[in-house]
Amino acid sequence: MGLFGSSLKKTDTEFSWNKNKILIENGYLRSEGLINTSRIPLKHIDTVTYSFEGLKIGPELKIIGQGTVLGTLKVGADLINEIQDWILAKL
C-alpha cells in the first residue's frame, strides 16, 4: 500500500488510485485529488523524472520540458515507477 492507497485503475487516458487521478484529455496532462492539481500541455513535455527528497517527504515526479520543471506530482513510492512509465508511454 502506497502513500495514497492502492485501489489502482489504469486505462489509456486515466491513471487513478483512491481519490487521485492523472488524466490525459484534450492534449493536456491533468492531475486532481490529494496530490497536486495541475494541467500541463502534452506538447511541452519532454520527459518525466523522479526524486526522493527525504524519507518523510516521499517521492516527487517532475514533469520536464525544454530543461524546465513544468510541474511536480507527489506520489507513493510503490507507484512512482508505474506512473512514470505510464506518462512516458503517452508522450
Side-chain angles (χ1 to χ4, degrees):
M1 184 174 223
L3 180 62
F4 298 108
S6 64
S7 61
L8 184 66
K9 177 185 172 191
K10 186 167 52 168
T11 66
D12 275 349
T13 59
E14 179 181 327
F15 193 106
S16 63
W17 66 105
N18 284 356
K19 296 179 181 177
N20 302 298
K21 284 184 188 177
I22 299 172
L23 305 162
I24 294 179
E25 61 182 18
N26 301 326
Y28 290 92
L29 177 72
R30 203 168 55 89
S31 67
E32 57 187 42
L34 297 173
I35 60 174
N36 308 35
T37 301
S38 61
R39 185 173 181 249
I40 302 168
L42 284 174
K43 66 182 180 181
H44 295 302
I45 300 172
D46 292 332
T47 192
V48 179
T49 63
Y50 67 83
S51 64
F52 288 88
E53 297 297 324
L55 296 176
K56 293 183 180 181
I57 298 172
E60 266 186 345
L61 277 172
K62 296 181 183 199
I63 314 298
I64 298 174
Q66 295 183 349
T68 303
V69 177
L70 302 172
T72 60
L73 301 173
K74 295 221 181 260
V75 297
D78 60 337
L79 294 175
I80 196 154
N81 288 321
E82 197 168 351
I83 294 172
Q84 181 187 28
D85 293 343
W86 183 82
I87 293 173
L88 288 173
K90 304 304 172 196
L91 297 181

